[in-house]
Amino acid sequence: MNQSDKKYLKDLLSRDPRLAVEKLKDHLVPMPKMLDKATEIEAQQESLMGEAISQGERENRQSELNDSILQLIEEVAIDEMEPGSQIIGHPKYQWILFELIALGLASVGGMLALIVNKQYIPALVILGVLLGVAFIFGKSVMTYLKNQQTIRDRGKKYYANLEAFPTRAKVLIEGDSWFNDHHGKDITDYLSEHYNVYSFAETGSKMRGILRDSDFRKLVAHEKPQVILLSAGGKELFEEYFKEIIKATASGDDFFTPYYTAFKRDVSQLYEETLEDFASKSEKVIISGYDYVVYKQGAVHSLLTKRGFSDPNAVKTKLIDDLNESISALAAQYPNVHYVDLRGTLASSQMWHDELHPNAEGFSKIAEKFKAKIEG
């Protein structure tokens, strides 16, 4: 489905919702689960036509169905872009950088003007606000800017390599810090030595952002890669939701709260929706979990120790196993989706930069596993 198709369906939806669903289904044939959703909406439309209800109720129900149709239209990846167009990172980030610099200069200028006029208290207030903002948001802003600069640089290198090495396989990557590590060479860097690689991976990226990145989907549709590589879940497992899924007090082998069951279900659903789409967009889709965490220090290890777990690594191992088993089972449902098992690759703590991230040597060993799967 291209941009024109989407625009046509949206316009048609406002005029004839039933025909819009019929036309939408034609585009969803390669995506059975989404096709089932459209068929279900179509059945609800037919049922609504025969119900003896007020006109107001009918319009409200139809409006709800239209919202569902619109959501389906938006979820379908765009299959083509303007001829000759190229996506190189997220160029908007440069404007954000300029705005931050301008804001900082304006604030400093205002503070200096106040000092010149001997208004010291307001100047101190401005200074305090600046320091507070820098303390609260500084790390996040710098991570964001670094991510976007890396994506942009890798985009330029990718398009340069397409000309220099036209016979190399195209590999497009979406993932987290294991593919965009700010401390040194990562998996993307090592794979780029053998393939034309473009990575949209970002340090600190969440699973939903990774697996539903519309810009990455556009890139896939435009570049038609031989290989798509996806990896997600670490941010949620060991940072964002870690405190909620681990019991407040250790209790034998029962590590997790009921929230963990819902979390695992959401992970499977997100991956399933993504694979449903990408499986038809590339010759090979590769997904992976993570290796076992062997580093015995850091925030995760400390929290588990404080909560009374005698063997914190057993908890971390269970989390890693569950994620790997879940995505491995999903990969088995598609003939061109391949799962890479990274567990046991980095058994030595000497190959880890910190509790959750390998160092350059560790990433090199992991990259070899991906290379073997790409070649296999």
Side-chain angles (χ1 to χ4, degrees), residues 290-294 316-318 320-321 342-344 346 352:
Y290 301 89
D291 195 3
Y292 293 126
V293 179
V294 299
K316 292 182 278 186
T317 295
K318 176 62 175 171
I320 294 294
D321 280 339
L342 302 177
R343 290 172 292 181
L346 309 178
W352 291 81

Side-chain angles (χ1 to χ4, degrees), residues 81-271:
M81 298 168 58
E82 292 299 320
S85 64
Q86 295 179 340
I87 302 174
I88 301 181
H90 300 245
K92 289 182 180 178
Y93 91 92
Q94 291 188 323
W95 290 107
I96 295 175
L97 178 59
F98 294 150
E99 290 168 2
L100 287 171
I101 293 173
L103 180 61
L105 291 174
S107 299
V108 171
M111 185 174 63
L112 291 175
L114 290 170
I115 292 174
V116 169
N117 290 299
K118 298 183 179 181
Q119 298 184 37
Y120 301 117
I121 293 179
L124 287 173
V125 170
I126 292 177
L127 178 61
V129 170
L130 286 175
L131 292 175
V133 170
F135 178 77
I136 296 172
F137 300 107
K139 183 178 180 181
S140 296
V141 170
M142 293 307 296
T143 297
Y144 170 79
L145 294 175
K146 177 65 174 176
N147 280 335
Q148 302 314 316
Q149 183 62 53
T150 302
I151 291 173
R152 191 171 180 82
D153 290 344
R154 285 174 168 173
K156 292 178 179 178
K157 181 178 179 180
Y158 168 77
Y159 288 111
N161 284 345
L162 286 180
E163 295 185 9
F165 309 103
T167 60
R168 282 184 175 181
K170 292 181 182 178
V171 178
L172 301 189
I173 298 173
E174 178 60 290
D176 52 23
S177 55
W178 280 36
F179 296 87
N180 186 350
D181 185 72
H182 295 174
H183 301 103
K185 293 185 71 172
D186 53 42
I187 300 170
T188 298
D189 294 316
Y190 287 111
L191 291 179
S192 295
E193 296 172 1
H194 307 280
Y195 312 103
N196 292 329
V197 177
Y198 192 173
S199 173
F200 259 41
E202 300 182 38
T203 287
S205 192
K206 299 178 183 179
M207 179 178 293
R208 194 171 298 275
I210 291 171
L211 299 181
R212 289 185 172 175
D213 187 342
S214 59
D215 285 329
F216 183 71
R217 290 171 184 265
K218 292 176 185 177
L219 183 70
V220 167
H222 182 252
E223 294 300 322
K224 297 178 174 56
Q226 285 78 36
V227 179
I228 297 172
L229 201 160
L230 302 170
S231 180
K235 177 75 173 179
E236 285 80 1
L237 271 183
F238 293 110
E239 292 185 37
E240 188 171 5
Y241 300 124
F242 186 69
K243 292 181 180 180
E244 285 72 31
I245 64 179
I246 302 298
K247 284 193 169 182
T249 305
S251 177
D253 294 334
D254 187 11
F255 305 141
F256 308 115
T257 65
Y259 182 75
Y260 185 50
T261 301
F263 173 80
K264 289 192 293 183
R265 182 189 64 238
D266 289 346
V267 169
S268 294
Q269 183 177 345
L270 276 171
Y271 262 103

Side-chain angles (χ1 to χ4, degrees), residues 329-344:
L330 289 171
Q333 299 177 21
Y334 303 88
N336 65 325
V337 176
H338 305 269
Y339 159 72
V340 178
D341 190 351
L342 302 177
R343 290 172 292 181

Side-chain angles (χ1 to χ4, degrees), residues 249-253 255 296 301 303-316:
T249 305
S251 177
D253 294 334
F255 305 141
K296 295 185 177 180
H301 201 88
L303 178 65
L304 292 171
T305 301
K306 288 178 181 178
R307 293 191 177 183
F309 291 93
S310 58
D311 185 4
N313 269 21
V315 183
K316 292 182 278 186

